[in-house]
Amino acid sequence: MINDLTPSQIVSELDKYIIGQDNAKKAVAIALRNRIRRQKLPPELIDEVTPKNIIMIGPTGVGKTEIVRRLSKLVKAPFVKVEATKFTEVGYVGRDVESIIRDLTEVSIQLVRKEWSSKVEDKAKQLVDEKIIDYLFPVSKKRREQKTNLLDGSFYSGVEEEKKESFDVLPKKDEREERFERTRKKFKDKLEKGELQNRLIEIDVEENLQPTVEVFSNSGVEGMGINFKDILGRMFPQKRKKQKITIAEARKVLLYTETQKLIDMDEVIRAAIDRVENLGIVFIDEIDKIAKQEKSYGPDVSRGGVQRDILPIIEGSTVMTKYGAVKTDHILFISAGAFTISKPSDLIPELQGRFPIRVELNILNKEDLKRILTEPCNSLIKQYTALLATEDLKIEIAEDAIDEIAETAFLVNEQTENIGARRLYTILEKLLEDISFNAPGLKKKKFTIDKKYVKKKLQSIVKNEDLSRYIL
């Protein structure tokens, strides 16, 4: 289930990382909230309500991808980001669009598997402790069968419940067995207290050497629903080898193994597919690159076909994955593009109709650039000062210096290609170039950067009209 956040809470979370672009934030917040609302509808309506897909239009570097990237961290829903330029029309070499849904299903499987792992973690830890004790004091086959019978309740039919759960009720124990059990219990207590962490034990581990088979296909072998890893795993069983490691390391290896054994994969797959179909989110970036009118030759020859291929998935279809069939009717699609060469109307009409919500993002001005430098939780100035602090350098950037950096970035964006907030990376790298290069050997450990220093370091960028080497 998606985190139960209100639209205003979603926007306030996005505000911590993205400056401005309120319209885009509101649009994605409402779209997310509608996923929660749909889950509460009566059965006769729940299938009728389809997602209102969003297309974000704006130049590069204004926050389109960042909005969706931060959004993915807010939700507990399957989320995948893809580049439209990676896909080609069926019949051409490249990825087919159905692999988007297969990737989304894989993400969902991992998400649900992780949740199951946390559920069974306590039980897995108990099993790991028993295994480690068994490695320290190997149990004979006969005694192990007696233990299993006691746990299953098949050995004693008329014994009390607490006796069934205990390993100390083996019939007619001789003195040696009593001593053996006492020693095991003593070491188990030490193990629980962490006193045996550095002790070496020899355990059986699986070798990860598996035969590699590459299959080349235009449509992708995964579209056939075949899991070659499982088939080859049965044909070539994994070999086991003995390895001597510390108990601390053994615990990590065994915990993963025992956890995987406790996970019900049939239930994981069922829950994962249900989550994809009802809560899945796909972000298609660079959609403007496939909006260009199709040519009869060149690298863009299949771009128009990609639009036709992607249309059924957005409209609602069934995609075969190795985990089963996945319906795409209620997956939310968010797309983004700069649309500098092409325009949204260059998309085929059917595809345009499947993105009813259009949001235009604003070009960043000087004030926006200044706020990006200082306000977000992950602001560039915080990043650079933290990086240099690892060399025991304390960097302070004065207010007038920040103004000058923002002014320079805005000016360079106007004079050349406008790459938005990405220009700030170029400016700050040039500004701190000498300090960063000499940081390990500097005796002076405190620097204050003011407007004068910024002008001195950046004057060549502003004066030189040929700025190609500073453009990202």
Side-chain angles (χ1 to χ4, degrees):
M1 186 67 185
I2 293 178
N3 280 339
D4 197 10
L5 296 169
T6 65
S8 59
Q9 287 174 330
I10 294 168
V11 171
S12 65
E13 285 295 318
L14 294 175
D15 283 341
K16 293 177 182 178
Y17 300 97
I18 300 117
I19 299 300
Q21 314 303 358
D22 294 334
N23 291 336
K25 290 175 186 173
K26 283 180 183 176
V28 295
I30 292 168
L32 272 191
R33 187 64 182 180
N34 280 339
R35 315 310 300 279
I36 300 168
R37 291 166 180 159
R38 179 178 168 271
Q39 296 297 309
K40 298 175 181 177
L41 289 175
E44 63 270 14
L45 269 179
I46 197 165
D47 288 332
E48 302 299 325
V49 178
T50 56
K52 308 302 180 285
N53 299 322
I54 302 166
I55 184 166
M56 294 194 284
I57 304 162
T60 184
V62 296
K64 300 187 298 295
T65 306
E66 187 67 10
I67 285 174
V68 183
R69 191 164 73 88
R70 293 295 167 184
L71 199 66
S72 68
K73 294 188 177 182
L74 285 179
V75 299
K76 287 183 179 178
F79 173 90
V80 68
K81 174 187 179 291
V82 297
E83 305 284 335
T85 50
K86 295 281 180 73
F87 302 96
T88 57
E89 185 179 357
V90 171
Y92 291 86
V93 176
R95 297 197 75 191
D96 66 301
V97 294
E98 288 191 350
S99 64
I100 296 171
I101 306 303
R102 290 192 283 269
D103 290 346
L104 186 65
T105 307
E106 198 65 53
V107 168
S108 186
I109 291 284
Q110 298 304 322
L111 194 67
V112 178
R113 191 203 291 265
K114 191 176 179 181
E115 290 175 7
W116 264 81
S117 297
S118 61
K119 286 180 187 176
V120 301
E121 188 177 11
D122 290 339
K123 188 174 181 182
K125 283 179 179 177
Q126 292 175 8
L127 293 171
V128 167
D129 284 347
E130 286 296 328
K131 274 211 161 190
I132 291 173
I133 292 294
D134 285 345
Y135 281 120
L136 285 168
F137 296 94
V139 181
S140 66
K141 186 177 179 182
K142 184 178 178 181
R143 187 182 282 114
R144 190 180 291 113
E145 286 174 358
Q146 288 174 329
K147 285 185 178 185
T148 306
N149 289 335
L150 283 172
L151 284 172
D152 294 341
S154 58
F155 192 85
Y156 279 103
S157 56
V159 184
E160 296 86 349
E161 189 66 28
E162 65 255 15
K163 286 186 179 179
K164 280 187 184 181
E165 294 175 356
S166 171
F167 296 149
D168 297 330
V169 294
L170 296 176
K172 299 179 182 179
K173 280 198 234 173
D174 59 23
E175 189 180 338
R176 186 166 50 184
E177 286 180 328
E178 291 269 5
R179 192 163 60 249
F180 181 83
E181 291 295 339
R182 282 200 302 270
T183 308
R184 274 177 63 93
K185 189 175 186 309
K186 184 170 72 175
F187 271 84
K188 191 172 183 179
D189 292 339
K190 284 187 176 183
L191 187 68
E192 289 174 355
K193 292 175 184 176
E195 295 176 9
L196 304 175
Q197 292 293 84
N198 297 321
R199 181 162 180 163
L200 288 172
I201 58 170
E202 193 175 55
I203 66 169
D204 289 326
V205 294
E206 289 184 350
E207 291 184 2
N208 289 325
L209 300 174
Q210 284 191 351
T212 303
V213 176
E214 290 189 11
V215 180
F216 297 94
S217 166
N218 281 344
S219 61
V221 71
E222 65 269 36
M224 299 158 59
I226 298 174
N227 190 347
F228 276 93
K229 187 178 177 183
D230 290 345
I231 293 171
L232 292 172
R234 288 191 287 269
M235 288 170 60
F236 305 97
Q238 282 190 324
K239 293 182 180 179
R240 301 184 73 84
K241 63 176 182 180
K242 290 192 178 292
Q243 190 173 356
K244 192 168 279 190
I245 54 177
T246 63
I247 285 178
E249 292 169 337
R251 191 184 292 278
K252 294 176 186 176
V253 175
L254 295 171
L255 183 61
Y256 176 79
T257 306
E258 293 302 320
T259 301
Q260 297 311 305
K261 287 179 184 176
L262 291 171
I263 292 173
D264 183 352
M265 277 310 295
D266 290 335
E267 184 63 25
V268 167
I269 290 169
R270 188 202 62 75
I273 289 177
D274 180 70
R275 201 173 289 195
V276 167
E277 292 180 341
N278 293 293
L279 300 172
I281 302 171
V282 174
F283 177 53
I284 306 173
D285 203 3
E286 309 291 355
I287 198 168
D288 57 314
K289 304 301 185 294
I290 61 169
K292 202 173 179 181
Q293 294 298 316
E294 187 177 344
K295 297 177 182 177
S296 59
Y297 60 90
D300 294 333
V301 68
S302 73
R303 293 302 177 218
V306 175
Q307 293 186 58
R308 292 191 293 273
D309 286 350
I310 209 170
L311 183 62
I313 292 176
I314 298 177
E315 283 183 334
S317 61
T318 302
V319 176
M320 287 305 300
T321 71
K322 64 183 180 183
Y323 302 107
V326 176
K327 292 183 178 179
T328 67
D329 301 67
H330 295 97
I331 293 174
L332 174 66
F333 289 86
I334 302 173
S335 64
F339 290 99
T340 49
I341 299 171
S342 56
K343 49 189 184 292
S345 57
D346 287 337
L347 293 166
I348 59 174
E350 296 89 343
L351 195 59
Q352 291 181 52
R354 286 291 160 180
F355 288 95
I357 302 173
R358 296 189 182 184
V359 183
E360 289 196 30
L361 284 82
N362 305 319
I363 295 173
L364 301 174
N365 57 32
K366 179 193 166 183
E367 190 58 35
D368 292 329
L369 292 170
K370 183 183 174 182
R371 291 178 63 197
I372 288 168
L373 281 170
T374 55
E375 289 185 18
C377 297
N378 62 335
S379 71
L380 288 178
I381 286 179
K382 289 176 185 174
Q383 289 181 35
Y384 278 99
T385 52
L387 281 171
L388 291 170
T390 62
E391 305 271 8
D392 295 326
L393 286 180
K394 188 177 180 182
I395 303 295
E396 289 184 3
I397 302 179
E399 187 71 25
D400 59 350
I402 294 171
D403 282 335
E404 188 63 27
I405 294 167
E407 177 71 41
T408 305
F410 180 70
L411 185 62
V412 176
N413 271 345
E414 278 198 324
Q415 290 177 348
T416 60
E417 288 291 331
N418 188 345
I419 59 171
R422 293 189 178 96
R423 182 71 63 191
L424 293 171
Y425 286 102
T426 313
I427 300 294
L428 280 171
E429 280 292 339
K430 178 66 179 173
L431 179 68
L432 299 170
E433 186 177 37
D434 291 339
I435 296 173
S436 186
F437 182 81
N438 298 312
L442 286 174
K443 292 181 181 179
K444 185 181 177 184
K445 293 297 183 182
K446 187 174 180 180
F447 289 90
T448 301
I449 295 173
D450 55 13
K451 185 176 181 178
K452 184 180 176 182
Y453 182 85
V454 174
K455 281 194 167 185
K456 179 185 173 185
K457 294 294 292 181
L458 303 181
Q459 60 183 348
S460 60
I461 295 181
V462 180
K463 285 182 181 178
N464 188 359
E465 291 183 4
D466 181 14
L467 304 168
S468 59
R469 65 193 179 112
Y470 299 113
I471 296 174
L472 294 177

